[in-house]
Amino acid sequence: MIPDFIYQGLGRAMTLVRGFVSGDRSIAAEGNQSSEATEQERETRNFGHFDEMEHSLPMLPYRIPPGRRILETLGSYFGPRNPFSSTFHPVRDEVWLFDNTAFRPTPAWGSQAPIQPRWKAEFVAAFFRKGSGKNLGEVVADLVEKLGIAKGSEEEARVAERLQPFVDAILPARTIEVVLNAGEGSPASSSGGAKLKLGPSGRSGIISELRVLPSSPDFQQFQDGTVMTTRAKKLPREAMQTRFSEPEGWTIISDVDDTIKVTMTNSPLGILRTTFVDLPQPVAGMPELYQHINTRFGSPGWFYLSASPYNLYPFLHGFREQYYPLGTIILRDASWMTLGGFLTSLTVGTQAYKVSRMEKIHEWFPRRKIICIGDSTQTDPESYAEMYRKQVKGGEGGREWIKAIFIRKVMDIEDQESKNEDQRFEKAFRDVPRNVWRTFEDPAELWEVMDQLAASS
């Protein structure tokens, strides 16, 4: 039998090779992340002493178990033809199905090409081996000590629960069958739904597949704003929701951390505490504002764009479900090997990441009218402004994709003075018309603005 450490060495080597060959944000790219930091990000990291904190955090256990998993990981290079793929096991394995948004492929304004009649959606699922995380106790103990949490407390238990997805073994080469059926009263309920096989999962244990929905009349009569529930065939309690969005209408792209959820992204200890210890708290006034937007714009599409890793999906999904309208949560892949990598993912390369995700949304919805909402702690102003300039330069038949940008000036955490200065926003929004963007401190400032924007449509 080959010792575990050899499998681990092979696995780490494959991850390095993958990063250099494919350009994925993997452990191979981790060493270059500091050079990718923007001026704004470097300022935040220097003030908060992020480097020191990251180096003090514990290593995470290697997350691909030995044995067959190495073959499954190697087979992942074959994509959907992975010869070592196997079906998801509902007893041993855990799966998360991510809420998504369905769309009809649509050409940009000015194109004579027709809108495609059939719905498409990107299905995302993540697979783990239940309770397999090695050294969970050691990682929890280290974090509990740094944050000054009492041992045996409710907070310690919460830390363990939220860290579990960071240490559990990921499962490449998994397939799963899901049943598309919105339930009673839905357009698809008369046919009992339809089965869809997804996978196999890739090297990160994630499936991300753009699929065409069934052509039957039941599925093609879904309308804008309709919601469909999809369940894992062998695990009915695991479900996801698909919101259908027609080619035209309004869509909101919202940041998460310190825009709608208190995260304290300027402080490494603040991030760790609000993520792993505290009960999640919404930014005051934002749930009410978002419900108002949802009503005033007639249930628009929603995308929640976060630089957090996908390991936090259940945590963020539960938070969104409690306070904000249904929408697609977009998260970063996580292939770093230390808990410090989590802090890096939130503070380095966020502008490039967010712009790339918005470009993807633009591909799906080139004719929608977009409202972007973010905050001043990170690079939201720069990210939204870059996307605005890109889509204007790209043409769009003389139409602007982004109609409005709103930036919350965060006033209640340290190191915000320079980030809230007028010069910062003027520089970030160069070449963006002044009537397109504005800053705010109190969400109540935007109620009337949103009413006027909705009325103008």
Side-chain angles (χ1 to χ4, degrees):
M1 178 179 294
I2 301 176
D4 286 1
F5 74 88
I6 294 182
Y7 280 112
Q8 292 177 6
L10 286 170
R12 292 175 191 266
M14 287 190 299
T15 306
L16 285 167
V17 170
R18 173 169 62 90
F20 287 119
V21 173
S22 69
D24 288 349
R25 181 172 297 284
S26 64
I27 189 175
E30 185 178 328
N32 296 323
Q33 283 187 336
S34 61
S35 63
E36 298 172 5
T38 64
E39 179 182 349
Q40 201 75 51
E41 290 169 336
R42 286 193 293 271
E43 180 182 326
T44 295
R45 289 178 59 81
N46 289 338
F47 180 88
H49 304 289
F50 275 79
D51 284 340
E52 293 90 328
M53 176 59 70
E54 287 165 358
H55 285 104
S56 73
L57 290 171
M59 291 286 293
L60 295 175
Y62 185 63
R63 301 182 63 211
I64 299 180
R68 180 178 171 83
R69 303 295 175 266
I70 292 296
L71 297 178
E72 292 172 344
T73 304
L74 284 170
S76 296
Y77 286 89
F78 295 96
R81 296 182 178 84
N82 189 335
F84 303 106
S85 65
S86 59
T87 304
F88 157 77
H89 195 289
V91 176
R92 295 193 306 263
D93 303 341
E94 182 173 3
V95 62
W96 302 341
L97 302 178
F98 291 46
D99 293 341
N100 62 2
T101 301
F103 64 97
R104 300 184 195 272
T106 306
W109 290 110
S111 171
Q112 300 301 313
I115 296 173
Q116 298 299 309
R118 291 182 63 178
W119 292 100
K120 297 181 75 173
E122 183 179 50
F123 288 84
V124 179
F127 297 85
F128 304 86
R129 177 58 54 82
K130 288 181 181 178
S132 59
K134 297 179 180 178
N135 305 327
L136 174 62
E138 296 176 16
V139 178
V140 170
D142 186 286
L143 197 54
V144 163
E145 181 181 357
K146 282 184 172 61
L147 297 174
I149 297 170
K151 293 185 177 180
S153 65
E154 182 180 341
E155 289 181 326
E156 183 183 36
R158 199 178 297 141
V159 170
E161 178 184 356
R162 294 183 190 170
L163 276 174
Q164 189 76 54
F166 287 82
V167 297
D168 276 347
I170 56 177
L171 296 177
R174 286 294 180 277
T175 62
I176 188 170
E177 191 170 40
V178 297
V179 180
L180 283 60
N181 188 336
E184 290 295 327
S186 75
S189 60
S190 61
S191 63
K195 297 180 179 62
L196 193 66
K197 183 179 179 181
L198 303 174
S201 53
R203 293 175 289 276
S204 296
I206 297 176
I207 291 172
S208 180
E209 294 182 2
L210 196 60
R211 302 293 292 270
V212 178
L213 298 187
S215 59
S216 65
D218 283 341
F219 282 90
Q220 293 311 310
Q221 58 183 300
F222 280 107
Q223 298 179 351
D224 189 68
T226 307
V227 177
M228 175 183 72
T229 299
T230 295
R231 300 186 183 278
K233 183 180 178 183
K234 294 183 178 180
L235 197 66
R237 70 175 182 274
E238 184 58 41
M240 60 178 286
Q241 291 183 300
T242 299
R243 186 198 184 280
F244 289 76
S245 289
E246 291 285 1
E248 297 181 31
W250 288 92
T251 287
I252 316 300
I253 298 177
S254 172
D255 175 54
V256 174
D257 298 299
D258 288 318
T259 296
I260 63 173
K261 173 186 166 293
V262 175
T263 303
M264 299 178 66
T265 46
N266 283 1
S267 163
L269 285 175
I271 293 173
L272 293 172
R273 176 166 282 279
T274 56
T275 301
F276 296 109
V277 183
D278 297 342
L279 294 174
Q281 296 296 320
V283 170
M286 293 302 282
E288 294 80 5
L289 174 64
Y290 277 36
Q291 290 302 331
H292 178 71
I293 293 172
N294 203 49
T295 300
R296 196 67 182 81
F297 287 86
S299 189
W302 290 87
F303 286 90
Y304 298 95
L305 178 54
S306 172
S308 292
Y310 76 90
N311 314 67
L312 291 176
Y313 181 77
F315 170 63
L316 293 176
H317 179 266
F319 169 76
R320 195 282 308 156
E321 201 168 36
Q322 183 176 0
Y323 294 106
Y324 296 102
L326 172 65
T328 298
I329 300 175
I330 302 176
L331 302 172
R332 294 180 94 165
D333 191 359
S335 49
W336 19 263
M337 303 301 296
T338 71
L339 194 56
F342 162 62
L343 296 176
T344 306
S345 74
L346 279 173
T347 56
V348 175
T350 58
Q351 181 174 337
Y353 159 73
K354 289 189 174 184
V355 170
S356 71
R357 297 304 85 193
M358 286 189 284
E359 288 176 331
K360 184 175 183 179
I361 296 171
H362 181 263
E363 289 177 7
W364 295 352
F365 297 105
R367 297 189 181 185
R368 284 228 153 201
K369 292 173 284 191
I370 306 299
I371 297 173
C372 296
I373 306 176
D375 67 87
S376 61
T377 60
Q378 296 180 299
T379 59
D380 290 342
E382 291 77 12
S383 301
Y384 293 151
E386 181 181 344
M387 188 61 197
Y388 181 93
R389 288 189 290 268
K390 279 192 172 188
Q391 51 94 37
V392 169
K393 184 180 291 185
E396 302 304 326
R399 298 171 185 259
E400 297 170 342
W401 187 59
I402 297 176
K403 301 299 182 183
I405 301 171
F406 301 103
I407 301 296
R408 173 180 175 255
K409 292 173 71 173
V410 180
M411 310 295 290
D412 54 355
I413 61 177
E414 294 183 303
D415 186 35
Q416 277 300 113
E417 292 80 6
S418 63
K419 294 181 181 179
N420 288 332
E421 290 178 351
D422 291 342
Q423 298 93 311
R424 184 259 176 113
F425 298 119
E426 293 292 344
K427 180 181 179 181
F429 289 111
R430 67 186 186 281
D431 301 326
V432 179
R434 190 62 184 85
N435 63 344
V436 170
W437 65 273
R438 69 173 288 169
T439 61
F440 68 98
E441 295 179 28
D442 185 344
E445 299 173 38
L446 298 187
W447 282 59
E448 186 176 349
V449 177
M450 292 297 183
D451 289 342
Q452 294 172 353
L453 196 57
S456 69
S457 62

